[in-house]
Amino acid sequence: MKPLPPMLSVIIPTYNEAANIGRLVAELRRHAPAEAVEILVVDANSPDGTAAAARQAGATVLPAPKPGRAAQMNHGARQARGSILYFVHADVGIHPDYAATIAAAVARGHAAGCYRFRFDSTHPLLRINSYGTRFKGIMSRGGDQTLFVTRALFEQLGGFNERFVIMEDFEIIQRIRRVASFFIVPQEVVVSARKYETNGWLRVQLANLTAFAMYFLKLPPPRIARTYKALLNYR
């Protein structure tokens, strides 16, 4: 008999995440059996050894046919075998009960959803940011919160819009909410504060608000990406 396909396919787009990917894959595997969850890392030809680190930790590594998080996640979804797709960033700390919690949400009729988050920092302003993720507004969402969606709904929507080289997560969540129930899991994933530590809270908030304003004004995504990156320093 052929083994049953996994219930959940975890899809992780990566570029230069060798420092994080092994820890994340090990965490995902520790909290869910291999027969229930498959882990797909879609790597955009990282020169830092991300792919090797992911394989060593036990993930299936897929070379990205083209760079860009939306394209990487779509490629992973095409190769995935699970009935539920779970998109996770490499520097996130997932919730230990992720597999059971997501399965329960889908069983209750929520075809998609995300977690709340908290930063790996005790900075009071970042605690305010984290508190905001319990609310439903689109500006309280983001890819760092992880995103689960049934395969059926993902295919109905045509996946991520690859035109969005930034804000791809907000764009798909808006489309999801037009046709399905979107659930905010009342538990948290842990998000890296590295962007805030490098740039400062005010500078990151300004960059985020600028990107949102440009997004709602329907400006070209490459222009939004250039502006956002110009406002921030990356390490």
Side-chain angles (χ1 to χ4, degrees):
M1 287 179 61
K2 276 182 146 183
L4 292 172
M7 171 204 71
L8 189 69
S9 293
V10 182
I11 299 166
I12 309 166
T14 56
Y15 182 73
N16 283 352
E17 290 289 357
N20 295 304
I21 194 62
R23 183 267 317 157
L24 174 60
V25 172
E27 205 175 311
L28 288 161
R29 183 57 67 225
R30 182 166 63 252
H31 297 303
E35 61 270 19
V37 174
E38 69 173 349
I39 303 170
L40 306 177
V41 171
V42 188
D43 187 58
N45 196 28
S46 299
D48 72 339
T50 296
R55 285 192 195 94
Q56 186 174 8
T60 298
V61 177
L62 306 172
K66 63 179 182 178
R69 204 152 52 195
Q72 288 172 254
M73 291 189 288
N74 281 344
H75 182 62
R78 286 191 292 269
Q79 306 302 314
R81 297 180 297 128
S83 58
I84 305 170
L85 308 175
Y86 186 36
F87 300 97
V88 178
H89 290 181
D91 60 351
V92 167
I94 55 94
H95 193 277
D97 296 327
Y98 75 96
T101 302
I102 291 170
V106 171
R108 291 197 302 270
H110 304 294
C114 68
Y115 281 78
R116 301 174 184 177
F117 75 58
R118 63 181 172 84
F119 287 101
D120 59 354
S121 167
T122 58
H123 193 292
L125 292 174
L126 293 183
R127 293 177 70 177
I128 293 171
N129 281 31
S130 301
Y131 187 81
T133 63
R134 68 190 57 217
F135 302 115
K136 292 184 177 180
I138 190 63
M139 290 183 71
S140 297
R141 303 281 67 82
D144 285 337
Q145 292 170 259
T146 71
L147 171 70
F148 69 85
V149 57
T150 63
R151 173 185 291 282
L153 177 57
F154 189 78
E155 292 178 350
Q156 175 189 335
L157 293 170
F160 289 93
N161 186 336
E162 295 183 15
R163 189 171 69 86
F164 283 85
V165 293
I166 190 172
M167 313 292 283
E168 75 288 334
D169 35 18
F170 302 100
E171 194 276 336
I172 198 171
I173 289 171
Q174 284 188 302
R175 286 190 285 131
I176 288 170
R177 283 177 162 172
R178 294 186 194 118
V179 298
S181 173
F182 188 87
F183 182 60
I184 302 170
V185 178
Q187 294 166 324
E188 298 170 334
V189 294
V190 179
V191 174
S192 170
R194 59 184 176 177
K195 191 188 323 183
Y196 289 87
E197 290 166 352
T198 302
N199 295 276
W201 183 86
L202 186 60
R203 187 170 183 173
V204 175
Q205 292 301 103
L206 175 61
N208 290 343
L209 290 172
T210 300
F212 265 112
M214 297 176 76
Y215 172 76
F216 288 123
L217 288 170
K218 301 187 184 304
L219 297 178
R223 181 177 169 188
I224 301 175
R226 287 194 302 271
T227 302
Y228 186 75
K229 289 176 181 177
L231 289 170
L232 297 178
N233 292 318
Y234 287 87
R235 67 182 181 192

